């Protein structure tokens, strides 16, 4: 059983530690190995107590509480595992992090999973930080927000992970069973049994298979890095699937992430409008008739206006007029 840290006033602990180290000078001179090692035990305990006492949060009595308290002070910041060891006062902090993630639903990414997500979708994180992500034992709390549904999702992920499906099928099954819910890259990496191919497979589901999986870069700028959400349980029509992500993002940005016909804004009115649920890109000159995947030929529409357009209720010229209006 690991020793539990005793928290106290850091200055008192610091003085005790200094005294112990001053006394240790004698032990070094005596050159008795066993004595030296034993004399270091209280100093080691004292140092751990000091580290644990740095977290001032009164409720942070357990190692897990202190790790959480520390991460929540620095959301979005990459921290070293050794920092967590200091505040936890124990060396098995990695297990505590898994518990926080899986049982309590805190979005704590390992540096490696975060790096894989960032490399695929981009981030505003300074390049120097991205370089150090994933290199060593690093962690990041992507959002100061607990997801109470996470424990249930991790159970489901565990079930799907054990199945004989390929990685892409596992990911799709998981997305469809969590329709409209935020899913972290850490969960997707787990489904892929740790393989770094998971961001590529998610991208294929979106771009080649037409599943409306949103990220902050592809349709839902309010999502944090490394979070994914299947917006609708339906695949885009084949003619809309081949739009490159770079073009898709530019069109969405130009159209301010709103329907250019009715003005629907998913960020503001997802709950208010039960029929409008997703933004889609429409080819003004239809793709089948040779319309290109260019910004000029694409317009952002909500699913209702998009359906209306294909039924012939909204004319090409009225769409072009809306585009020119800006
Ligand atoms: Zn609309
Ligand atoms: Zn269309």
């Amino acid at each position: 059983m690991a020793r539990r840290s005793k928290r106290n006033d850091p200055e008192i602990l610091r003085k005790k530690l200094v005294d112990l180290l001053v006394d240790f000078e004698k032990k070094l001179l005596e050159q008795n190995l066993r004595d030296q090692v034993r004399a270091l035990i209280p100093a080691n305990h004292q140092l751990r107590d000091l580290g644990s006492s740095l977290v001032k949060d009164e409720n942070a009595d357990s190692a897990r509480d202190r790790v959480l308290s520390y991460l929540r002070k620095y959301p979005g910041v990459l921290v070293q595992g050794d920092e967590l060891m200091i505040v936890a006062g124990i060396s098995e902090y990695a297990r505590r992090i898994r518990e926080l993630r899986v049982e309590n639903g805190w979005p704590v990414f390992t540096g490696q999973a975060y790096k894989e997500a960032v490399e695929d979708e981009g981030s505003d994180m300074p390049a120097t930080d991205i370089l150090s992500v994933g290199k060593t034992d690093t962690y990041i709390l992507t959002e100061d927000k607990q997801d109470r549904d996470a424990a249930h999702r991790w159970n489901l992920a565990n079930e799907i992970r054990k199945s004989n499906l390929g990685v892409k099928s596992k990911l799709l099954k998981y997305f469809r069973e969590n329709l409209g819910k935020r899913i972290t890259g850490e969960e997707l990496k787990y489904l892929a049994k740790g393989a770094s191919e998971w961001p590529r497979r998610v991208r294929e589901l979106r771009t080649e298979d037409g599943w409306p999986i949103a990220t902050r870069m592809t349709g839902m700028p309010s999502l944090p890095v490394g979070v994914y959400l299947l917006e609708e349980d339906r695949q885009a029509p084949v003619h809309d699937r081949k739009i490159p992500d770079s073009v898709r993002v530019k069109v969405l940005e130009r159209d301010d992430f709103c329907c250019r016909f009715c003005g629907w804004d998913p960020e503001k009115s997802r709950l208010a409008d039960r029929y409008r649920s997703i933004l889609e890109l429409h080819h003004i000159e239809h793709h089948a008739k040779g319309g290109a995947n260019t910004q000029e030929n694409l317009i952002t529409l909500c699913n209702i206006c998009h359906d209306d357009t294909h039924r012939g209720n909204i004319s090409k010229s009225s769409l072009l007029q809306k585009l020119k209006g800006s």
Side-chain angles (χ1 to χ4, degrees):
M1 180 68 191
R3 175 185 172 275
R4 215 179 152 87
S5 286
K6 296 190 190 79
R7 296 205 291 160
N8 202 335
D9 174 10
E11 178 54 17
I12 292 173
L13 294 168
R14 185 193 67 85
K15 280 189 185 134
K16 280 189 188 163
L17 179 61
V18 169
D19 289 347
L20 287 166
L21 289 175
V22 168
D23 291 347
F24 194 66
E25 189 183 3
K26 270 185 272 161
K27 298 286 174 196
L28 277 180
L29 292 171
E30 286 166 15
Q31 296 199 338
N32 179 321
L33 174 61
R34 185 98 197 275
D35 268 5
Q36 288 174 347
V37 168
R38 278 150 47 127
L40 269 191
I41 294 172
N44 205 343
H45 287 169
Q46 212 63 231
L47 180 61
R48 288 177 177 219
D49 291 349
L50 177 55
S52 305
S53 302
L54 295 178
V55 176
K56 294 284 190 278
D57 193 341
E58 279 191 15
N59 299 315
D61 279 334
S62 72
R64 175 157 90 171
D65 293 342
R66 287 191 293 276
V67 167
L68 176 61
S69 175
Y70 190 71
L71 288 169
R72 291 189 66 189
K73 282 199 171 67
Y74 304 102
V77 176
L78 190 71
V79 303
Q80 303 292 318
D82 285 349
E83 295 171 55
L84 301 178
M85 177 184 73
I86 294 291
V87 295
I90 56 170
S91 40
E92 316 89 88
Y93 58 88
R95 216 178 85 209
R96 306 289 175 253
I97 291 168
R98 273 197 303 280
E99 289 168 4
L100 287 170
R101 185 192 301 139
V102 174
E103 292 167 23
N104 304 114
W106 289 98
V108 194
F109 278 55
T110 58
Q112 187 59 38
Y114 190 76
K115 181 173 174 237
E116 286 162 9
V118 163
E119 278 172 349
D120 203 65
E121 53 176 294
S123 137
D124 344 308
M125 194 184 244
T128 45
D129 277 4
I130 290 176
L131 277 179
S132 59
V133 177
K135 261 190 186 167
T136 44
D137 192 21
T138 54
Y139 300 90
I140 181 166
L141 180 70
T142 54
E143 243 191 324
D144 187 11
K145 197 169 172 184
Q146 193 176 10
D147 179 355
R148 309 257 170 206
D149 194 37
H152 163 75
R153 282 209 315 276
W154 279 99
N155 281 334
L156 178 67
N158 192 34
E159 286 304 310
I160 297 177
R161 186 181 195 255
K162 283 188 278 189
S163 69
N164 291 326
L165 298 168
V167 170
K168 197 159 92 169
S169 306
K170 282 181 185 169
L171 296 174
L172 178 59
K173 188 169 164 59
Y174 191 65
F175 272 116
R176 294 184 74 188
E177 298 219 14
N178 288 297
L179 187 64
K181 290 182 191 154
R182 289 168 162 224
I183 288 171
T184 64
E186 197 67 53
E187 291 159 68
L188 302 176
K189 186 173 171 64
Y190 177 75
L191 280 163
K193 300 200 171 165
S196 58
E197 65 179 295
W198 66 269
R200 208 165 61 237
R201 299 290 166 245
V202 173
R203 186 152 31 84
E204 284 170 11
L205 284 171
R206 182 172 59 240
T207 56
E208 291 172 23
D209 305 338
W211 292 98
I213 298 170
T215 67
R216 70 200 290 274
M217 302 304 286
T218 56
M220 224 181 259
S222 65
L223 291 178
V225 172
V227 172
Y228 304 78
L229 187 150
L230 179 63
E231 297 183 281
E232 282 244 301
D233 196 11
R234 72 166 189 184
Q235 286 173 276
V238 176
H239 74 273
D240 288 346
R241 289 184 199 171
K242 297 292 177 193
I243 305 165
D245 266 356
S246 57
V247 176
R248 186 182 295 275
V249 169
K250 281 195 188 115
V251 173
L252 285 166
E253 281 175 352
R254 180 199 65 196
D255 295 344
D256 225 3
F257 295 91
C258 294
C259 174
R260 281 301 286 266
F261 196 77
C262 72
W264 182 71
D265 176 349
E267 295 297 339
K268 285 183 193 138
S269 44
R270 197 175 287 279
L271 293 171
D273 190 327
R274 283 164 48 215
Y275 303 103
R276 290 175 164 76
S277 57
I278 191 174
L279 291 175
E280 295 171 331
L281 298 194
H282 171 69
H283 291 90
I284 298 169
E285 184 66 51
H286 288 192
H287 199 54
K289 293 180 187 159
N293 285 325
T294 57
Q295 276 188 69
E296 298 71 34
N297 190 42
L298 288 163
I299 184 167
T300 307
L301 296 176
C302 69
N303 53 307
I304 297 293
C305 295
H306 195 188
D307 285 351
D308 262 4
T309 306
H310 281 269
R311 282 197 205 99
N313 298 335
I314 298 174
S315 69
K316 201 188 294 178
S317 60
S318 58
L319 289 181
L320 285 169
Q321 218 161 23
K322 290 277 183 187
L323 267 193
K324 282 199 198 104
S326 61

